[in-house]
Amino acid sequence: MGGDGGARTGEHGGHTTVPGPLAARALARESGAARQAVATGRWRPAPADAEAAAAVLARLTAPLPDRRGRAARQRAADRDRRLQRVLRTTLHHLDAGAVSPPAAALLAALARALLPWHAAPNPPPAAAAPRYTAGPGGAAPPTDAGEALLPGLTALFTALAATGAPGTAPLTPPVEPWRVRYAGRFRRHARPAPGVWTAETVRCPACGATDGPWAVTCDWRRVTLGCPCGAVTDRHGLALSEVWLVLPDA
């Protein structure tokens, strides 16, 4: 976010993943930048940002069901389900394309940190639904680490969801674009009906290549893919999460 987000630019190959159970490097950066921007008045969220923040906040603060007398396994599932619902609400508002660039950057970073709950405890209801890798296959999500994020995120999203004073115009800080080279395939998913998904591999419109290495550029509103053949396109149909969540930890 402005000067606070400079680490986002450049090649991701120069970064290393922060040790720990969650890919939370981007979240730490974007949360810190968002707190500073709100505290200093550089970010007065627009209605779409406040609406998205309120939706995520409702998931962050949702109480766990009263499971007295129930098995520990059920209580563990309840804890994971809350984190999963935070992730899915975050993805919904990220990919809807209505929020401002700083809000999109924050939501994307939150989604990356919560990826271990993409399919836990309830997998998406179709084989073709997006499958984001979030660690060793089959590993149990690090629930304690995920819940440790909740207090700080609750405070931040409470501030973002608060309505501005009457007559106060929204103010959005600048966000620097990020650029990365990515070798691999991008998959575009669609959901034409409840529980029905389709998936298609993105191809270069000029040469038909699918594996890159792609030159990816994003300004948090639009993603552009550059193919080694020289073709550049932003008409790939990919949602922001379908690009951001398959890249190396940023």
Side-chain angles (χ1 to χ4, degrees), residues 31-234:
S31 294
R35 288 189 185 93
Q36 185 178 34
V38 171
T40 59
R42 292 188 297 111
W43 188 8
R44 295 194 294 269
D49 292 350
E51 179 182 348
V56 174
L57 179 63
R59 296 299 195 184
L60 291 169
T61 58
L64 295 175
D66 185 353
R67 300 292 189 185
R68 285 177 292 183
R70 295 293 186 91
R73 182 175 180 179
Q74 180 63 62
R75 293 195 298 273
D78 288 338
R79 296 171 67 200
D80 285 331
R81 190 170 290 112
R82 177 169 59 184
L83 293 166
Q84 184 179 63
R85 287 170 175 166
V86 175
L87 169 62
R88 292 187 178 178
T89 300
T90 299
L91 288 174
H92 171 76
H93 287 278
L94 172 65
D95 287 340
V99 300
S100 68
L106 177 62
L107 293 176
L110 176 57
R112 181 188 293 280
L114 294 182
L115 268 184
W117 290 273
H118 178 254
N122 306 118
R131 295 184 181 183
Y132 304 114
T133 57
T143 306
D144 288 343
E147 290 184 334
L149 299 174
L150 296 181
L153 290 171
T154 297
L156 173 58
F157 278 83
T158 297
L160 291 172
T163 56
T168 301
L171 181 62
T172 303
V175 180
E176 295 185 20
W178 50 265
R179 302 176 181 87
V180 60
R181 290 182 64 82
Y182 174 72
R185 297 189 173 192
F186 290 113
R187 297 276 281 172
R188 179 172 56 242
H189 296 83
R191 192 179 185 184
V196 178
W197 291 80
T198 61
E200 181 182 1
T201 299
V202 172
R203 298 178 178 274
C204 171
C207 70
T210 59
D211 297 320
W214 305 100
V216 185
T217 303
C218 178
D219 62 1
W220 296 109
R221 288 200 182 278
R222 182 178 64 175
V223 176
T224 300
L225 303 180
C227 179
C229 77
V232 178
T233 182
D234 62 2

